[in-house]
Amino acid sequence: MNPAVENTRPSGIMYTPRTPQMRERQRFNLSTRPDDEEIDISGLENLVGQTWNIYAVSALFGLQQDDIHFKLYSKRLREEIANTLSHEDVSYDARFSIMEDMVPKPNHENYPAIKIEVLAKINDTEKEKSLYQGILLSWRITQDEPNIENLIRLPLLLCRGTSTCIDAVHATIIRMFDCLIIALPAKEHDLSWLIPIIIMTNKEEPSVSGEVQMVYTVPELPVTDTVTVKFQTADLRKILSAIMTNQNDEINIFLNREHIEIFFEILHKQMLMVGGLKLGLCTLHRINLPGITIMENKMKIVNVEIMNNVLSYLNEKAFDIFHTVHIDI
């Protein structure tokens, strides 16, 4: 095996992953303009309008971001996929590449995103079929700790493809870069934050309008037996704006945990008064808005600004799960 592809963790570093949701979220910044400078998020245009599976990724060890190493990684991945998904008369191709435009600017020092593709081609034909498309990225996280040699942090992995190929690609990445990859589902706690984050994006010119559907599962019933509650986004935005207004009659750019608690307390009272629904034991499982669906570790978003905020939320969650390190030198 080529030594450029075989990686080990640097000596003297003890890696300590955190358990999911170990730290409860207290606030979220709705502003896309820190320090009065506008962030360029045009690179997200390649992500909108598609359904993505969401994964959290621990630190990648020994990943070199240059053409020579990317060719070696591509060769290794192609060989592993061919061994795992072997079919007669089918050849496979794999590609690693840098996505330079997938870094929010300015004021962020995130590594450029890395795109991973796996293609299949029936021999004697020119037609290629995409089996896997994945993007490793870090989004709007400022890294406070000093850079550690041989280590890169790209906490989020968005991917699409067949389930067998997804499993094979992730298993290969885990071996190549000595990392962990786990599904990053949006639990009820996350959905409770994401609804306000989505509907309050761009308060001056709202990024979404229409009907919000909150889908609840019922204890001891199949996941297909659900209760769906519907609200208009304009009504929810008015409620949130009133909750978030400070003493100077200005709407805060931060959503706080208290805002979320008050918001859902009001909604639950509305559900009880208008629909006679008391959902105390039910679980918020899925949210649907015009052009937006988020459930478990799958999402589809058609708006760049909303994608920006959702990625920021998910990136913080993935970072909190995996990227706390203890250095013992």
Side-chain angles (χ1 to χ4, degrees):
M1 186 179 297
N2 193 301
V5 184
E6 186 71 20
N7 302 293
T8 58
R9 293 177 182 169
S11 61
I13 294 180
M14 295 179 60
Y15 177 69
T16 309
R18 303 178 71 179
T19 55
Q21 295 186 3
M22 192 170 181
R23 178 192 63 175
E24 190 164 4
R25 179 180 294 274
Q26 298 298 318
R27 57 170 24 193
F28 183 87
N29 186 359
L30 288 166
S31 173
T32 58
R33 298 186 180 187
D35 301 328
D36 297 324
E37 293 185 275
E38 185 172 0
I39 286 183
D40 179 10
I41 57 174
S42 57
L44 294 181
E45 292 173 353
N46 296 323
L47 302 183
V48 297
Q50 303 182 70
T51 300
W52 295 98
N53 300 292
I54 312 160
Y55 291 83
V57 185
S58 67
L60 302 162
F61 290 88
L63 173 60
Q64 303 294 317
Q65 297 175 300
D66 59 71
D67 291 341
I68 293 176
H69 283 88
F70 274 4
K71 288 179 181 178
L72 293 173
Y73 303 152
S74 300
K75 180 176 182 294
R76 168 79 180 276
L77 180 57
R78 181 178 67 250
E79 292 170 351
E80 295 282 353
I81 293 298
N83 290 333
T84 305
L85 307 179
S86 179
H87 293 284
E88 291 185 7
D89 301 325
V90 177
S91 58
Y92 299 93
D93 190 17
R95 302 167 187 168
F96 280 72
S97 59
I98 288 286
M99 301 180 70
E100 296 286 356
D101 59 341
M102 284 290 293
V103 178
K105 298 180 178 65
N107 296 333
H108 288 275
E109 299 177 357
N110 302 127
Y111 293 101
I114 296 176
K115 185 176 183 179
I116 304 171
E117 296 178 283
V118 175
L119 304 169
K121 182 171 67 174
I122 299 176
N123 294 341
D124 301 325
T125 69
E126 297 299 323
K127 188 175 181 180
E128 288 186 322
K129 178 182 178 181
S130 176
L131 298 182
Y132 179 91
Q133 181 181 353
I135 300 173
L136 285 162
L137 73 158
S138 179
W139 197 254
R140 289 178 63 186
I141 285 287
T142 301
Q143 316 228 3
D144 297 328
E145 65 185 61
N147 291 330
I148 301 175
E149 185 180 358
N150 204 37
L151 180 152
I152 288 179
R153 301 188 188 283
L154 295 168
L156 275 183
L157 171 58
L158 308 183
C159 69
R160 323 169 53 231
T162 64
S163 58
T164 53
C165 194
I166 288 175
D167 292 342
V169 171
H170 292 181
T172 303
I173 294 173
I174 289 169
R175 291 193 295 270
M176 288 172 66
F177 305 116
D178 197 14
C179 64
L180 296 174
I181 300 175
I182 64 171
L184 192 67
K187 301 291 188 180
E188 180 175 37
H189 171 81
D190 303 305
L191 296 176
S192 297
W193 278 88
L194 287 170
I195 291 171
I197 287 170
I198 290 169
I199 65 177
M200 295 303 287
T201 297
N202 285 356
K203 295 182 289 295
E204 295 79 8
E205 297 179 8
S207 298
V208 65
S209 60
E211 189 175 75
V212 179
Q213 296 183 4
M214 304 179 194
V215 182
Y216 290 81
T217 56
V218 182
E220 299 183 7
L221 291 181
V223 71
T224 52
D225 292 345
T226 59
V227 176
T228 301
V229 181
K230 302 177 182 179
F231 292 95
Q232 290 297 315
T233 56
D235 296 333
L236 298 186
R237 195 175 294 113
K238 288 178 182 177
I239 295 171
L240 271 167
S241 296
I243 295 171
M244 296 173 64
T245 299
N246 61 25
Q247 294 179 349
N248 297 321
D249 295 328
E250 295 179 356
I251 297 178
N252 296 317
I253 63 170
F254 287 99
L255 270 170
N256 296 325
R257 181 181 171 187
E258 183 181 2
H259 298 151
I260 304 299
E261 292 174 350
I262 295 173
F263 176 65
F264 275 92
E265 182 180 345
I266 293 172
L267 294 192
H268 290 162
K269 288 180 179 179
Q270 288 289 315
M271 295 175 193
L272 182 59
M273 291 173 55
V274 177
L277 293 174
K278 192 170 185 178
L279 303 179
L281 297 178
C282 297
T283 302
L284 183 57
H285 177 68
R286 173 185 177 124
I287 57 174
N288 297 322
L289 295 90
I292 300 167
T293 299
I294 301 176
M295 181 183 70
E296 297 180 344
N297 73 316
K298 294 181 182 293
M299 71 174 183
K300 181 179 181 180
I301 298 173
V302 297
N303 180 279
V304 171
E305 289 77 16
I306 292 175
M307 177 68 80
N308 172 44
N309 274 342
V310 171
L311 284 183
S312 299
Y313 180 95
L314 294 173
N315 196 89
E316 289 181 15
K317 182 179 179 180
F319 198 89
D320 191 46
I321 291 172
F322 274 138
H323 295 270
T324 297
V325 297
H326 171 64
I327 301 176
D328 185 13
I329 298 176

